[in-house]
Amino acid sequence: DAGVIQSPRHEVTEMGQEVTLRCKPISGHDYLFWYRQTMMRGLELLIYFNNNVPIDDSGMPEDRFSAKMPNASFSTLKIQPSEPRDSAVYFCASSRERGGSSYNEQFFGPGTRLTVL
Amino acid sequence: AQSVTQLGSHVSVSEGALVLLRCNYSSSVPPYLFWYVQYPNQGLQLLLKYTSAATLVKGINGFEAEFKKSETSFHLTKPSAHMSDAAEYFCAVSSPSGNTPLVFGKGTRLSVIA
């Protein structure tokens, strides 16, 4: 199993540009989570999906942020326009709905380090 | 609402010494509790989890944690620290209803001195 895959691993962009972060969850997992990690706020949930449907997006900072999950194997987090305060590490995690020893365990990707200049 | 408090943003121990990382939680329902480890420039890896079974939970790399309801604590311990244990450790809580988002503590950076 390849684990959760995120791309790109690093992104440097200029203020005002559109940024798209990508995530491929573990095959067979029904839940997908997007988290953001900053020095000031730590790790915080942005949005999560169940069976490709957004369940809770209350953590999305503002309308500049949007997330989609068009199918079970792909999700995107888009920031448009980006601002310097969006600089952070963005993690994607996935988990399975039920069954097995890994139930309720979230598996994290390596993260995307975003720098907005 | 759930919350997690990790006491000590930085803990330093000597190699071979006991590791104790503190975590206290707040939850209106019996929670699920987790410890994750993060090495530099990497994602989070699960060390261990409490899901209402045994209160003493054993994890990977020799770590264990004990759920104490009366103290609302879930402290992480390891009898003998190795240099390779140097990392950031996060305690997290979630609802027992399953597959709900994790609420993380601020993290504790563990340094191991030779």
Side-chain angles (χ1 to χ4, degrees):
Chain A
D1 196 331
V4 176
I5 298 172
Q6 291 187 246
S7 65
R9 291 293 309 275
H10 302 274
E11 177 80 32
V12 180
T13 190
E14 292 187 350
M15 183 174 62
Q17 297 298 306
E18 178 180 295
V19 175
T20 299
L21 312 181
R22 297 172 175 80
C23 175
K24 177 179 171 56
I26 293 173
S27 178
H29 281 194
D30 311 279
Y31 285 80
L32 185 139
F33 304 82
W34 282 100
Y35 293 92
R36 179 171 68 174
Q37 184 178 34
T38 62
M39 290 293 291
M40 292 297 294
R41 300 174 65 90
L43 277 155
E44 53 183 352
L45 176 78
L46 297 176
I47 185 171
Y48 78 102
F49 297 82
N50 177 215
N51 292 322
N52 313 335
V53 176
I55 304 300
D56 183 356
D57 66 353
S58 59
M60 297 286 263
E62 48 199 272
D63 292 345
R64 297 184 298 106
F65 285 69
S66 63
K68 294 181 180 180
M69 192 165 185
N71 57 62
S73 59
F74 184 64
S75 176
T76 60
L77 178 67
K78 186 176 292 185
I79 308 172
Q80 166 64 17
S82 59
E83 297 182 2
R85 58 186 168 139
D86 302 329
S87 298
V89 181
Y90 292 80
F91 288 105
C92 176
S94 69
S95 63
R96 58 192 300 173
E97 184 146 16
R98 57 176 58 85
S101 60
S102 64
Y103 168 61
N104 207 43
E105 176 182 335
Q106 293 184 24
F107 293 80
F108 282 75
T112 295
R113 182 174 296 275
L114 173 65
T115 302
V116 183
L117 303 174
Chain B
Q2 297 174 316
S3 66
V4 172
T5 301
Q6 290 185 241
L7 296 177
S9 59
H10 183 206
V11 171
S12 184
V13 301
S14 298
E15 190 174 20
L18 171 72
V19 176
L20 171 61
L21 304 182
R22 300 178 186 274
C23 171
N24 288 88
Y25 69 91
S26 173
S27 177
S28 57
V29 297
Y32 284 176
L33 292 158
F34 306 81
W35 275 100
Y36 281 84
V37 61
Q38 183 181 28
Y39 297 101
N41 299 315
Q42 295 187 25
L44 281 74
Q45 179 184 10
L46 183 70
L47 280 176
L48 48 80
K49 62 182 178 182
Y50 166 76
T51 56
S52 73
T55 56
L56 181 62
V57 182
K58 294 187 183 297
I60 62 172
N61 301 340
F63 285 93
E64 63 181 37
E66 185 172 8
F67 173 69
K68 292 186 177 181
K69 183 179 179 180
S70 61
E71 299 177 6
T72 60
S73 69
F74 191 58
H75 301 330
L76 182 71
T77 62
K78 182 174 181 178
S80 177
H82 295 170
M83 297 297 292
S84 60
D85 294 326
E88 188 93 15
Y89 292 81
F90 293 92
C91 182
V93 63
S94 77
S95 165
S97 61
N99 285 298
T100 54
L102 295 169
V103 175
F104 287 91
K106 293 294 188 184
T108 297
R109 183 163 61 91
L110 176 66
S111 297
V112 182
I113 303 168

